Amino acid sequence: MRRYAWVTAVCLAVLMVSGCGNQTGQEAKQNPVSVSESTASGASEAETKSDDMVSDGDTVKEVDDGFGNDEEGKNEKGASAVKLEEGEIYRDDLDGDASEEEVSFSFEGDGKNGHDFENYKYILTLNYGENVKQFEILGGYEATWMIRTKSGDHYLYQESYHEDGLYSVTVFRVSSDEAVGLGCLDGRIGDNGIEDVDAFSWVERINLLGTYAGERNVGVGSEGLPEAKEDAWTIFWDKKPLVLKQELEVIVQNEDGSTENRVLPAGTELIPQETDKETYLDAETSDGTRCRIEVGTEDGYTYMIHGVDEHAYFADLPYAG
């Protein structure tokens, strides 16, 4: 199989908006979860008063005021991000009414015993304010981030793992009286977590001249979903170099910033460096020359180089699946 079937099949596609307002190729998906009509206690309503949200032994994470207190993921004007563990309590003013509410969660299903795959889903029970609501999420539990933006809005980023090293993040808007799913995106939060809600790493699987991971900076947008801060993805390449089967004309960037077309001979080895996932891939030759390979696609799966299938230029392209 040339391409791996993405987890996007479970949700409807919506384009991620970049930081400058242009649309990019990253996808968000609506309706990523099923909302249970029962509460954690088995009642018939989706939202109820929660009497057992807090216990004396619970860990409480209170966000700072954004003006110098040392807190994970803080930045100016009160924006912050906290990685929340199961059973921990996040305490903040969720509604701007100068009173603090509490958020906590628990889950059952895949993810309780490492990266297991028993049900291919898990149930997230979310306590917010005096309410509790359950969500069924595909995949296995990975991590939970609670985010406050500069405007005082609160979002929960729920990370899930899937087969073959794939990840997704489901985004919820949270207040004291509602928890609403906003969408589900392919990818995961970078290894450094969310140190700044306006600029943090986002990692996705990319399929262009091979399958590999790519990273770029995003920030939490005005609607709660991540917004790209740059078009290019930095490639994590851990495979053998790509080897040309025949000569290929590429665009080379010179040290003075100028560019020129150059023909690389057959046998040239290339290490991918950067891509926009759609129109080009930047690579380096063994002597450090940086070059750009322009590509095109009509179906999002088959890529062409100078009007010829990519496999005509490269031997053994390392696609997954």
Side-chain angles (χ1 to χ4, degrees):
M1 184 184 298
R2 280 189 76 250
R3 298 280 196 271
Y4 185 84
W6 288 83
V7 295
T8 50
V10 303
C11 307
L12 299 178
V14 176
L15 290 175
M16 174 183 285
V17 181
S18 72
C20 60
N22 296 322
Q23 291 181 331
T24 75
Q26 189 159 342
E27 293 181 344
K29 298 157 285 178
Q30 299 297 326
N31 303 323
V33 297
S34 298
V35 182
S36 174
E37 291 303 319
S38 64
T39 68
S41 61
S44 60
E45 297 179 355
E47 300 184 18
T48 67
K49 301 291 184 180
S50 176
D51 295 326
D52 56 355
M53 248 182 57
V54 184
S55 68
D56 292 338
D58 285 334
T59 301
V60 177
K61 287 190 174 179
E62 295 192 51
V63 296
D64 72 342
D65 57 9
F67 294 100
N69 294 330
D70 186 16
E71 180 68 31
E72 183 179 11
K74 68 177 176 60
N75 70 332
E76 74 277 6
K77 299 183 180 178
S80 63
V82 173
K83 189 174 184 179
L84 202 61
E85 302 295 334
E86 183 179 20
E88 288 184 325
I89 298 169
Y90 174 92
R91 182 176 292 154
D92 196 12
D93 179 3
L94 300 179
D95 302 310
D97 58 1
S99 63
E100 290 187 338
E101 292 83 24
E102 295 177 343
V103 177
S104 64
F105 76 93
S106 61
F107 77 95
E108 293 294 335
D110 288 3
K112 278 291 187 181
N113 300 305
H115 280 187
D116 60 327
F117 288 101
E118 182 175 353
N119 301 307
Y120 295 88
K121 64 183 179 180
Y122 60 100
I123 303 297
L124 182 75
T125 301
L126 185 61
N127 300 280
Y128 51 100
E130 297 182 341
N131 302 294
V132 58
K133 198 171 190 178
Q134 289 186 325
F135 299 89
E136 181 181 280
I137 302 177
L138 297 182
Y141 176 87
E142 181 69 19
T144 302
W145 287 84
M146 194 68 197
I147 295 169
R148 182 181 68 192
T149 64
K150 297 175 185 178
S151 61
D153 295 320
H154 290 78
Y155 301 98
L156 187 142
Y157 276 34
Q158 182 58 48
E159 198 169 2
S160 306
Y161 65 83
H162 303 272
E163 290 185 302
D164 297 309
L166 291 171
Y167 289 87
S168 65
V169 176
T170 306
V171 180
F172 298 91
R173 182 178 65 249
V174 181
S175 67
S176 64
D177 57 5
E178 69 171 358
V180 179
L182 301 180
C184 178
L185 299 95
D186 290 329
R188 63 176 177 85
I189 296 163
D191 292 341
N192 291 329
I194 304 177
E195 298 178 342
D196 184 339
V197 301
D198 293 326
F200 58 93
S201 168
W202 189 273
V203 179
E204 276 192 24
R205 176 174 288 188
I206 298 173
N207 286 303
L208 194 158
L209 301 187
T211 300
Y212 43 85
E215 175 187 50
R216 69 176 174 182
N217 282 327
V218 303
V220 178
S222 60
E223 300 300 319
L225 295 174
E227 291 183 351
K229 299 296 183 180
E230 53 195 352
D231 293 331
W233 296 81
T234 298
I235 294 171
F236 301 131
W237 190 262
D238 58 356
K239 312 174 191 302
K240 295 179 180 179
L242 300 179
V243 180
L244 284 176
K245 294 166 60 176
Q246 59 175 300
E247 64 180 28
L248 172 65
E249 184 177 357
V250 298
I251 302 172
V252 172
Q253 183 171 0
N254 300 314
E255 292 183 358
D256 61 3
S258 63
T259 60
E260 62 176 300
N261 289 353
R262 187 181 301 178
V263 176
L264 301 179
T268 299
E269 294 185 347
L270 296 167
I271 301 295
Q273 301 291 321
E274 193 173 275
T275 181
D276 67 349
K277 294 175 57 176
E278 295 179 352
T279 65
Y280 73 86
L281 181 138
D282 288 348
E284 282 189 1
T285 64
S286 57
D287 64 2
T289 300
R290 183 94 171 202
C291 60
R292 173 162 295 187
I293 303 169
E294 295 183 322
V295 301
T297 180
E298 293 183 356
D299 58 12
Y301 294 96
T302 303
Y303 287 93
M304 311 291 284
I305 304 173
H306 301 312
V308 179
D309 186 274
E310 58 191 338
H311 291 85
Y313 284 100
F314 293 99
D316 302 321
L317 287 172
Y319 281 109

